[in-house]
Amino acid sequence: MTVRQILHMGDPRLLEIARPVTRFDTPELHALVQDLMETMLAEDGAGLAAPQIGVGLRVVVFGFECNPRYPDEESVPQTVLVNPVIEPLSDERNEGWEGCLSVPGLRGAVSRYTRIRYSGFDQTGAAIEREANDFHARVVQHECDHLDGILYPQRMTDMRLFGFNQALEASEHLTAMPCDTRPD
Ligand code: NI
């Protein structure tokens, strides 16, 4: 169990398509999940994907009870999700602020589906299937994008809504959004 170094945008490993996990309940997979959880907690992240620590496997962790980086958000259940699949439950999307531990110090406005179903497996191979809304849905979409080599700036459509945390917080921007949400 180790707090791992997080790769930053510009590292080509963040742009790769991660491989599916084929063997569950192995010491290697348990160790990877432990490291992801510890690293996420150490950095106050809402989620973390394996490629962010340089492991090209389709594994994400997310969830928090009360997170100092997102004091206004509802809790999201602590989850390990392997080989995830996301299905939007409607066409409805909303715009919200996102951050990323691989893009430190910055925030950007990203459009995401507001209602999704996601499925996959935990580290033992047990099936998971859930419906999620709003911030929970946003976090899952953000983390799963990492598995396809997509960082949130690639999802942005208005680069005027991209900036440094401190500058945005000092401006009207962060409060002007209808849904102020900021994953990982
Ligand atoms: Ni991220």
Side-chain angles (χ1 to χ4, degrees), residues 46-96:
L48 192 65
Q52 292 182 275
I53 59 168
V55 176
L57 289 171
R58 302 188 81 78
V59 180
V60 301
V61 300
F62 54 85
F64 57 88
E65 264 304 310
C66 170
N67 188 311
R69 290 178 69 219
Y70 320 107
D72 302 329
E73 300 300 342
E74 287 177 20
S75 67
V76 172
Q78 200 77 245
T79 304
V80 175
L81 195 59
V82 180
N83 298 347
V85 175
I86 293 177
E87 177 194 350
L89 292 176
S90 81
D91 291 335
E92 190 190 321
R93 302 173 71 99
N94 72 356
E95 193 98 351

Short mmCIF file of all heavy atoms in Angstrom, two decimals, residues 46-96:
data_model
loop_
_atom_site.label_atom_id
_atom_site.label_comp_id
_atom_site.label_asym_id
_atom_site.label_seq_id
_atom_site.Cartn_x
_atom_site.Cartn_y
_atom_site.Cartn_z
N ALA A 46 -11.97 13.19 -5.50
CA ALA A 46 -13.29 12.55 -5.50
C ALA A 46 -13.22 11.22 -6.24
O ALA A 46 -14.11 10.38 -6.11
CB ALA A 46 -14.31 13.45 -6.16
N GLY A 47 -12.15 11.05 -7.01
CA GLY A 47 -11.98 9.82 -7.76
C GLY A 47 -10.58 9.76 -8.32
O GLY A 47 -9.84 10.75 -8.31
N LEU A 48 -10.21 8.56 -8.79
CA LEU A 48 -8.89 8.39 -9.40
C LEU A 48 -8.95 7.17 -10.32
O LEU A 48 -9.60 6.18 -10.00
CB LEU A 48 -7.83 8.18 -8.30
CG LEU A 48 -6.36 8.26 -8.73
CD1 LEU A 48 -6.00 9.67 -9.19
CD2 LEU A 48 -5.45 7.85 -7.56
N ALA A 49 -8.28 7.29 -11.46
CA ALA A 49 -8.27 6.19 -12.43
C ALA A 49 -6.86 5.64 -12.53
O ALA A 49 -5.87 6.37 -12.40
CB ALA A 49 -8.73 6.71 -13.79
N ALA A 50 -6.76 4.32 -12.78
CA ALA A 50 -5.45 3.66 -12.80
C ALA A 50 -4.45 4.33 -13.74
O ALA A 50 -3.27 4.46 -13.38
CB ALA A 50 -5.63 2.17 -13.13
N PRO A 51 -4.87 4.79 -14.94
CA PRO A 51 -3.86 5.44 -15.80
C PRO A 51 -3.22 6.67 -15.16
O PRO A 51 -2.08 7.03 -15.53
CB PRO A 51 -4.68 5.84 -17.04
CG PRO A 51 -5.81 4.84 -17.07
CD PRO A 51 -6.15 4.61 -15.62
N GLN A 52 -3.90 7.29 -14.21
CA GLN A 52 -3.33 8.47 -13.54
C GLN A 52 -2.12 8.13 -12.68
O GLN A 52 -1.35 9.02 -12.33
CB GLN A 52 -4.38 9.19 -12.69
CG GLN A 52 -5.48 9.85 -13.53
CD GLN A 52 -6.47 10.58 -12.65
OE1 GLN A 52 -7.41 9.98 -12.14
NE2 GLN A 52 -6.26 11.87 -12.42
N ILE A 53 -1.98 6.85 -12.31
CA ILE A 53 -0.76 6.44 -11.60
C ILE A 53 0.10 5.55 -12.50
O ILE A 53 0.94 4.79 -12.03
CB ILE A 53 -1.05 5.77 -10.23
CG1 ILE A 53 -1.92 4.52 -10.37
CG2 ILE A 53 -1.71 6.77 -9.28
CD1 ILE A 53 -1.98 3.66 -9.09
N GLY A 54 -0.15 5.63 -13.81
CA GLY A 54 0.72 4.96 -14.76
C GLY A 54 0.40 3.50 -15.00
O GLY A 54 1.23 2.78 -15.55
N VAL A 55 -0.81 3.08 -14.59
CA VAL A 55 -1.21 1.68 -14.79
C VAL A 55 -2.31 1.64 -15.85
O VAL A 55 -3.40 2.18 -15.63
CB VAL A 55 -1.71 1.05 -13.47
CG1 VAL A 55 -2.21 -0.37 -13.70
CG2 VAL A 55 -0.59 1.06 -12.42
N GLY A 56 -2.04 1.01 -16.97
CA GLY A 56 -2.97 1.04 -18.09
C GLY A 56 -4.05 -0.01 -18.05
O GLY A 56 -4.23 -0.79 -18.99
N LEU A 57 -4.78 -0.06 -16.93
CA LEU A 57 -5.87 -1.03 -16.77
C LEU A 57 -7.16 -0.28 -16.49
O LEU A 57 -7.14 0.83 -15.93
CB LEU A 57 -5.57 -1.97 -15.59
CG LEU A 57 -4.47 -2.99 -15.82
CD1 LEU A 57 -4.13 -3.71 -14.51
CD2 LEU A 57 -4.86 -4.00 -16.90
N ARG A 58 -8.30 -0.92 -16.86
CA ARG A 58 -9.61 -0.26 -16.73
C ARG A 58 -10.13 -0.40 -15.30
O ARG A 58 -11.03 -1.20 -15.02
CB ARG A 58 -10.59 -0.80 -17.78
CG ARG A 58 -10.06 -0.62 -19.20
CD ARG A 58 -11.06 -0.97 -20.27
NE ARG A 58 -12.01 0.08 -20.53
CZ ARG A 58 -11.75 1.18 -21.25
NH1 ARG A 58 -10.56 1.38 -21.78
NH2 ARG A 58 -12.69 2.08 -21.43
N VAL A 59 -9.54 0.38 -14.42
CA VAL A 59 -9.89 0.37 -12.99
C VAL A 59 -10.00 1.82 -12.54
O VAL A 59 -9.08 2.62 -12.77
CB VAL A 59 -8.80 -0.32 -12.14
CG1 VAL A 59 -9.19 -0.31 -10.66
CG2 VAL A 59 -8.55 -1.74 -12.63
N VAL A 60 -11.14 2.16 -11.90
CA VAL A 60 -11.29 3.48 -11.29
C VAL A 60 -11.79 3.30 -9.86
O VAL A 60 -12.41 2.29 -9.52
CB VAL A 60 -12.28 4.40 -12.06
CG1 VAL A 60 -11.83 4.61 -13.49
CG2 VAL A 60 -13.70 3.86 -12.03
N VAL A 61 -11.48 4.28 -9.02
CA VAL A 61 -12.07 4.35 -7.69
C VAL A 61 -12.67 5.74 -7.56
O VAL A 61 -12.18 6.69 -8.18
CB VAL A 61 -11.05 4.09 -6.56
CG1 VAL A 61 -10.45 2.70 -6.69
CG2 VAL A 61 -9.96 5.15 -6.51
N PHE A 62 -13.73 5.85 -6.77
CA PHE A 62 -14.31 7.17 -6.51
C PHE A 62 -15.16 7.08 -5.27
O PHE A 62 -15.48 5.99 -4.78
CB PHE A 62 -15.13 7.68 -7.72
CG PHE A 62 -16.19 6.74 -8.19
CD1 PHE A 62 -17.44 6.73 -7.59
CD2 PHE A 62 -15.95 5.87 -9.23
CE1 PHE A 62 -18.44 5.86 -8.02
CE2 PHE A 62 -16.93 4.99 -9.67
CZ PHE A 62 -18.18 4.99 -9.07
N GLY A 63 -15.56 8.24 -4.78
CA GLY A 63 -16.48 8.29 -3.64
C GLY A 63 -15.91 9.06 -2.49
O GLY A 63 -14.70 9.12 -2.30
N PHE A 64 -16.81 9.67 -1.73
CA PHE A 64 -16.42 10.39 -0.52
C PHE A 64 -17.67 10.67 0.31
O PHE A 64 -18.77 10.75 -0.21
CB PHE A 64 -15.73 11.72 -0.87
CG PHE A 64 -16.59 12.62 -1.72
CD1 PHE A 64 -17.46 13.52 -1.15
CD2 PHE A 64 -16.52 12.54 -3.10
CE1 PHE A 64 -18.26 14.33 -1.94
CE2 PHE A 64 -17.32 13.35 -3.89
CZ PHE A 64 -18.19 14.25 -3.31
N GLU A 65 -17.44 10.78 1.61
CA GLU A 65 -18.52 11.16 2.53
C GLU A 65 -18.61 12.66 2.57
O GLU A 65 -19.64 13.27 2.40
CB GLU A 65 -18.19 10.65 3.95
CG GLU A 65 -18.84 9.34 4.30
CD GLU A 65 -20.35 9.36 4.15
OE1 GLU A 65 -20.97 10.30 4.69
OE2 GLU A 65 -20.90 8.46 3.49
N CYS A 66 -17.43 13.25 2.84
CA CYS A 66 -17.37 14.69 3.03
C CYS A 66 -16.00 15.09 2.54
O CYS A 66 -14.99 14.65 3.05
CB CYS A 66 -17.52 14.99 4.51
SG CYS A 66 -17.18 16.70 4.90
N ASN A 67 -15.95 15.87 1.48
CA ASN A 67 -14.67 16.16 0.85
C ASN A 67 -14.38 17.65 0.92
O ASN A 67 -15.18 18.46 0.45
CB ASN A 67 -14.73 15.69 -0.62
CG ASN A 67 -13.38 15.77 -1.31
OD1 ASN A 67 -12.72 16.80 -1.23
ND2 ASN A 67 -12.98 14.71 -1.96
N PRO A 68 -13.22 18.02 1.51
CA PRO A 68 -12.92 19.45 1.64
C PRO A 68 -12.79 20.17 0.31
O PRO A 68 -12.99 21.38 0.24
CB PRO A 68 -11.57 19.46 2.38
CG PRO A 68 -11.00 18.09 2.23
CD PRO A 68 -12.17 17.17 2.05
N ARG A 69 -12.49 19.43 -0.77
CA ARG A 69 -12.39 20.08 -2.08
C ARG A 69 -13.77 20.32 -2.69
O ARG A 69 -13.91 21.09 -3.62
CB ARG A 69 -11.54 19.23 -3.05
CG ARG A 69 -10.05 19.24 -2.67
CD ARG A 69 -9.23 18.38 -3.59
NE ARG A 69 -9.15 18.94 -4.93
CZ ARG A 69 -9.19 18.21 -6.04
NH1 ARG A 69 -9.35 16.91 -5.97
NH2 ARG A 69 -9.07 18.79 -7.21
N TYR A 70 -14.80 19.60 -2.18
CA TYR A 70 -16.16 19.75 -2.72
C TYR A 70 -17.15 19.85 -1.58
O TYR A 70 -17.99 18.98 -1.37
CB TYR A 70 -16.54 18.55 -3.61
CG TYR A 70 -15.41 18.10 -4.48
CD1 TYR A 70 -14.73 16.93 -4.22
CD2 TYR A 70 -14.99 18.89 -5.55
CE1 TYR A 70 -13.67 16.54 -4.99
CE2 TYR A 70 -13.92 18.50 -6.32
CZ TYR A 70 -13.27 17.33 -6.04
OH TYR A 70 -12.21 16.94 -6.79
N PRO A 71 -17.03 20.92 -0.78
CA PRO A 71 -17.83 20.99 0.45
C PRO A 71 -19.34 21.04 0.19
O PRO A 71 -20.12 20.67 1.08
CB PRO A 71 -17.35 22.27 1.11
CG PRO A 71 -16.71 23.08 0.02
CD PRO A 71 -16.18 22.09 -0.96
N ASP A 72 -19.75 21.44 -0.99
CA ASP A 72 -21.18 21.61 -1.26
C ASP A 72 -21.83 20.39 -1.91
O ASP A 72 -23.02 20.39 -2.17
CB ASP A 72 -21.41 22.83 -2.18
CG ASP A 72 -20.84 24.10 -1.57
OD1 ASP A 72 -20.83 24.18 -0.32
OD2 ASP A 72 -20.40 24.97 -2.33
N GLU A 73 -21.02 19.36 -2.19
CA GLU A 73 -21.57 18.23 -2.93
C GLU A 73 -22.10 17.15 -2.00
O GLU A 73 -21.57 16.92 -0.93
CB GLU A 73 -20.49 17.63 -3.84
CG GLU A 73 -19.94 18.60 -4.87
CD GLU A 73 -21.00 19.14 -5.82
OE1 GLU A 73 -22.09 18.54 -5.92
OE2 GLU A 73 -20.72 20.17 -6.46
N GLU A 74 -23.14 16.45 -2.48
CA GLU A 74 -23.66 15.30 -1.75
C GLU A 74 -22.62 14.18 -1.77
O GLU A 74 -21.80 14.11 -2.69
CB GLU A 74 -24.92 14.77 -2.45
CG GLU A 74 -26.12 15.66 -2.27
CD GLU A 74 -27.31 15.12 -3.04
OE1 GLU A 74 -27.32 13.93 -3.39
OE2 GLU A 74 -28.22 15.92 -3.30
N SER A 75 -22.70 13.30 -0.77
CA SER A 75 -21.72 12.21 -0.73
C SER A 75 -21.95 11.26 -1.92
O SER A 75 -23.05 11.15 -2.45
CB SER A 75 -21.84 11.45 0.59
OG SER A 75 -23.07 10.78 0.64
N VAL A 76 -20.87 10.60 -2.30
CA VAL A 76 -20.90 9.61 -3.38
C VAL A 76 -20.35 8.32 -2.76
O VAL A 76 -19.34 8.36 -2.06
CB VAL A 76 -20.00 10.08 -4.56
CG1 VAL A 76 -19.87 8.99 -5.61
CG2 VAL A 76 -20.56 11.36 -5.19
N PRO A 77 -21.04 7.17 -2.96
CA PRO A 77 -20.56 5.94 -2.31
C PRO A 77 -19.15 5.55 -2.75
O PRO A 77 -18.80 5.66 -3.92
CB PRO A 77 -21.58 4.88 -2.75
CG PRO A 77 -22.32 5.47 -3.90
CD PRO A 77 -22.23 6.96 -3.79
N GLN A 78 -18.37 5.11 -1.76
CA GLN A 78 -16.99 4.66 -2.01
C GLN A 78 -17.05 3.43 -2.92
O GLN A 78 -17.65 2.42 -2.54
CB GLN A 78 -16.37 4.30 -0.65
CG GLN A 78 -14.88 4.26 -0.62
CD GLN A 78 -14.28 5.67 -0.57
OE1 GLN A 78 -13.62 6.05 -1.51
NE2 GLN A 78 -14.48 6.41 0.50
N THR A 79 -16.46 3.53 -4.09
CA THR A 79 -16.67 2.49 -5.11
C THR A 79 -15.37 2.14 -5.82
O THR A 79 -14.57 3.02 -6.12
CB THR A 79 -17.69 3.00 -6.17
OG1 THR A 79 -18.90 3.38 -5.50
CG2 THR A 79 -18.01 1.94 -7.20
N VAL A 80 -15.19 0.85 -6.06
CA VAL A 80 -14.14 0.35 -6.95
C VAL A 80 -14.87 -0.17 -8.18
O VAL A 80 -15.78 -0.99 -8.06
CB VAL A 80 -13.38 -0.82 -6.29
CG1 VAL A 80 -12.36 -1.41 -7.26
CG2 VAL A 80 -12.72 -0.37 -4.99
N LEU A 81 -14.49 0.31 -9.34
CA LEU A 81 -15.20 -0.09 -10.56
C LEU A 81 -14.18 -0.54 -11.60
O LEU A 81 -13.31 0.23 -12.01
CB LEU A 81 -16.04 1.08 -11.05
CG LEU A 81 -17.12 0.81 -12.08
CD1 LEU A 81 -18.15 -0.20 -11.58
CD2 LEU A 81 -17.83 2.12 -12.44
N VAL A 82 -14.32 -1.82 -11.99
CA VAL A 82 -13.39 -2.43 -12.95
C VAL A 82 -14.16 -2.71 -14.24
O VAL A 82 -15.31 -3.13 -14.21
CB VAL A 82 -12.82 -3.75 -12.36
CG1 VAL A 82 -11.86 -4.41 -13.34
CG2 VAL A 82 -12.13 -3.49 -11.02
N ASN A 83 -13.52 -2.44 -15.37
CA ASN A 83 -14.13 -2.64 -16.69
C ASN A 83 -15.50 -1.96 -16.79
O ASN A 83 -16.50 -2.59 -17.19
CB ASN A 83 -14.27 -4.14 -17.02
CG ASN A 83 -12.94 -4.84 -17.07
OD1 ASN A 83 -11.87 -4.21 -17.10
ND2 ASN A 83 -12.96 -6.17 -17.08
N PRO A 84 -15.59 -0.68 -16.44
CA PRO A 84 -16.90 -0.02 -16.40
C PRO A 84 -17.53 0.22 -17.77
O PRO A 84 -16.82 0.38 -18.77
CB PRO A 84 -16.60 1.33 -15.73
CG PRO A 84 -15.16 1.58 -16.00
CD PRO A 84 -14.50 0.23 -16.05
N VAL A 85 -18.85 0.24 -17.75
CA VAL A 85 -19.65 0.61 -18.92
C VAL A 85 -20.66 1.65 -18.46
O VAL A 85 -21.29 1.48 -17.41
CB VAL A 85 -20.41 -0.62 -19.50
CG1 VAL A 85 -21.34 -0.20 -20.63
CG2 VAL A 85 -19.42 -1.68 -19.97
N ILE A 86 -20.79 2.72 -19.22
CA ILE A 86 -21.73 3.80 -18.89
C ILE A 86 -22.79 3.89 -19.97
O ILE A 86 -22.47 3.85 -21.16
CB ILE A 86 -21.00 5.16 -18.80
CG1 ILE A 86 -20.05 5.16 -17.62
CG2 ILE A 86 -22.00 6.31 -18.67
CD1 ILE A 86 -19.23 6.45 -17.52
N GLU A 87 -24.04 4.03 -19.52
CA GLU A 87 -25.15 4.21 -20.46
C GLU A 87 -25.94 5.44 -20.01
O GLU A 87 -26.43 5.48 -18.87
CB GLU A 87 -26.02 2.94 -20.38
CG GLU A 87 -27.25 2.95 -21.21
CD GLU A 87 -28.22 1.82 -20.80
OE1 GLU A 87 -27.82 0.93 -20.00
OE2 GLU A 87 -29.36 1.86 -21.25
N PRO A 88 -26.08 6.45 -20.86
CA PRO A 88 -26.90 7.61 -20.47
C PRO A 88 -28.36 7.19 -20.40
O PRO A 88 -28.82 6.39 -21.22
CB PRO A 88 -26.70 8.61 -21.63
CG PRO A 88 -25.64 8.04 -22.49
CD PRO A 88 -25.50 6.59 -22.20
N LEU A 89 -29.10 7.70 -19.40
CA LEU A 89 -30.51 7.35 -19.25
C LEU A 89 -31.43 8.38 -19.89
O LEU A 89 -32.63 8.17 -19.99
CB LEU A 89 -30.86 7.15 -17.77
CG LEU A 89 -30.20 5.93 -17.14
CD1 LEU A 89 -30.51 5.85 -15.65
CD2 LEU A 89 -30.66 4.65 -17.83
N SER A 90 -30.86 9.51 -20.27
CA SER A 90 -31.63 10.49 -21.05
C SER A 90 -30.61 11.35 -21.78
O SER A 90 -29.40 11.24 -21.54
CB SER A 90 -32.52 11.35 -20.14
OG SER A 90 -31.75 12.38 -19.55
N ASP A 91 -31.11 12.21 -22.67
CA ASP A 91 -30.21 13.09 -23.42
C ASP A 91 -29.83 14.33 -22.60
O ASP A 91 -29.02 15.12 -23.06
CB ASP A 91 -30.89 13.57 -24.71
CG ASP A 91 -31.07 12.43 -25.69
OD1 ASP A 91 -30.28 11.46 -25.60
OD2 ASP A 91 -31.98 12.51 -26.53
N GLU A 92 -30.46 14.48 -21.44
CA GLU A 92 -30.23 15.69 -20.65
C GLU A 92 -28.78 15.78 -20.18
O GLU A 92 -28.21 14.80 -19.69
CB GLU A 92 -31.16 15.67 -19.43
CG GLU A 92 -31.19 16.97 -18.68
CD GLU A 92 -31.94 16.83 -17.36
OE1 GLU A 92 -32.96 16.11 -17.30
OE2 GLU A 92 -31.46 17.43 -16.38
N ARG A 93 -28.22 16.97 -20.35
CA ARG A 93 -26.84 17.22 -19.93
C ARG A 93 -26.81 18.50 -19.12
O ARG A 93 -27.70 19.33 -19.25
CB ARG A 93 -25.93 17.40 -21.15
CG ARG A 93 -25.94 16.22 -22.09
CD ARG A 93 -25.17 16.53 -23.36
NE ARG A 93 -23.74 16.58 -23.09
CZ ARG A 93 -22.90 15.59 -23.34
NH1 ARG A 93 -23.33 14.48 -23.86
NH2 ARG A 93 -21.62 15.70 -23.05
N ASN A 94 -25.81 18.64 -18.29
CA ASN A 94 -25.60 19.96 -17.68
C ASN A 94 -24.11 20.28 -17.66
O ASN A 94 -23.25 19.42 -17.82
CB ASN A 94 -26.26 20.09 -16.31
CG ASN A 94 -25.57 19.31 -15.24
OD1 ASN A 94 -24.62 18.58 -15.49
ND2 ASN A 94 -26.04 19.44 -14.01
N GLU A 95 -23.88 21.56 -17.50
CA GLU A 95 -22.53 22.09 -17.52
C GLU A 95 -22.08 22.25 -16.06
O GLU A 95 -22.85 22.72 -15.24
CB GLU A 95 -22.59 23.46 -18.20
CG GLU A 95 -21.29 24.05 -18.60
CD GLU A 95 -20.97 23.81 -20.09
OE1 GLU A 95 -21.69 23.04 -20.74
OE2 GLU A 95 -20.01 24.39 -20.55
N GLY A 96 -20.87 21.81 -15.75
CA GLY A 96 -20.39 21.97 -14.39
C GLY A 96 -18.88 22.12 -14.38
O GLY A 96 -18.20 21.71 -15.33
#
